[in-house]
Amino acid sequence: MRVVLAEDNALLRHGLVRLIDGTEDLSLVGAAPDLPTLTALIDEHDPDVVVTDIRMPPTNSDEGLSVAADLRVRKPETGVILLSQYAEAQYALTLLADGTARRGYLLKERVADGDELAEAVRRVADGGSVIDPTVIEGLVAAQRAKPSELDALTPRELEVLGEMAQGKSNASIAAALVLSERAIEKHTNSIFSKLGLSEERDLNRRVSAVLVYLQNR
């Protein structure tokens, strides 16, 4: 497999060169210290996988992400593995926004293990994806911390909305929760108000409320 490497830190770049060169089934066809050189190497060698730092000259911002986005359009069969010093969940989300196939995100501290890097290159080249476990933990934590529209509802209102999501009428919900229809009507009106649905027609409000419920469960 042909690999192009991009890393602006000379010491780390030389270490990665040795790791890749020392792997029998990988062939390093070029190593770049910046974005212009990386782009030229990709066009010249048409690699199977590009292993690149996220931040490189000239701007040291998100050059690696730009390369990944460009290759998704121009060369969709080319895999890209981003290397980062930090577990940036947002970078991972941006990388995977157009699909997970042939994409990887690894922390630099892990690529010191040549076997792990080589296995990541193989998996990405075969159409798979590799995401560092620490990054996955960050993504999960961010999702859990994300405010939900349902947070404003009381436990009873959540119960009513859950029954509503099953397609039940107010009468059926009242029977299931052993409440009066009047009480269910008050709960549903409160739900609609808290979810910002008070100006819609009743049928639309029920459908919209159920959609909110399903998207946040």
Side-chain angles (χ1 to χ4, degrees), residues 48-68:
D48 298 297
V49 176
V50 173
V51 178
T52 176
D53 192 0
I54 290 182
R55 301 174 181 176
M56 292 181 295
T59 70
N60 291 299
S61 57
D62 63 352
E63 282 78 6
L65 285 170
S66 298
V67 168

Side-chain angles (χ1 to χ4, degrees), residues 5 20 23 26 42 52 54 58 72 99 119 123-124 135 143 155 158-160 174 178 186 197 209:
L5 168 68
I20 296 172
T23 304
L26 303 183
I42 291 172
T52 176
I54 290 182
R72 181 68 84 188
E119 181 55 33
R123 193 180 307 176
V124 168
V135 177
Q143 184 61 33
L158 282 172
E159 274 189 297
V160 172
V178 195
K186 288 181 62 177
L197 305 173

Side-chain angles (χ1 to χ4, degrees), residues 22 51 55 62 81 121 136 211 215:
V51 178
R55 301 174 181 176
D62 63 352
I81 296 176
V121 171
I136 294 176
L211 286 175
Q215 289 169 356

Side-chain angles (χ1 to χ4, degrees), residues 157 160-161 164 170 173 183-193 202 205-206:
E157 288 166 351
V160 172
L161 186 52
M164 196 186 301
N170 282 359
I173 296 173
I184 297 302
E185 184 178 340
K186 288 181 62 177
H187 286 310
T188 56
N189 285 335
S190 177
I191 291 168
F192 296 152
S193 176
D202 189 59
R205 288 191 298 179
R206 294 182 81 87

Side-chain angles (χ1 to χ4, degrees), residues 51-211:
V51 178
T52 176
D53 192 0
I54 290 182
R55 301 174 181 176
M56 292 181 295
T59 70
N60 291 299
S61 57
D62 63 352
E63 282 78 6
L65 285 170
S66 298
V67 168
D70 176 62
L71 290 178
R72 181 68 84 188
V73 176
R74 291 197 305 119
K75 298 176 180 289
E77 296 304 309
T78 301
V80 177
I81 296 176
L82 295 185
L83 302 179
S84 177
Q85 186 175 353
Y86 306 104
E88 300 276 4
Q90 187 55 52
Y91 282 158
L93 288 174
T94 301
L95 173 69
L96 305 176
D98 294 323
T100 61
R102 302 182 188 280
R103 291 296 179 265
Y105 187 107
L106 295 178
L107 296 183
K108 290 182 179 180
E109 63 187 44
R110 295 190 189 276
V111 300
D113 181 344
D115 290 338
E116 185 165 345
L117 176 60
E119 181 55 33
V121 171
R122 295 185 192 103
R123 193 180 307 176
V124 168
D126 287 340
S129 61
V130 180
I131 306 298
D132 192 282
T134 304
V135 177
I136 294 176
E137 290 174 6
L139 290 171
V140 172
Q143 184 61 33
R144 286 176 176 169
K146 183 180 178 182
S148 167
E149 294 176 89
L150 302 181
D151 291 344
L153 304 186
T154 66
R156 176 62 82 182
E157 288 166 351
L158 282 172
E159 274 189 297
V160 172
L161 186 52
E163 296 291 324
M164 196 186 301
Q166 298 177 43
K168 294 182 179 180
S169 65
N170 282 359
S172 297
I173 296 173
L177 299 181
V178 195
L179 295 171
S180 68
E181 285 191 52
R182 176 66 176 168
I184 297 302
E185 184 178 340
K186 288 181 62 177
H187 286 310
T188 56
N189 285 335
S190 177
I191 291 168
F192 296 152
S193 176
K194 289 179 179 179
L195 295 181
L197 305 173
S198 56
E199 300 301 319
E200 298 187 35
R201 295 172 55 187
D202 189 59
L203 179 60
N204 290 343
R205 288 191 298 179
R206 294 182 81 87
V207 171
S208 297
V210 168
L211 286 175

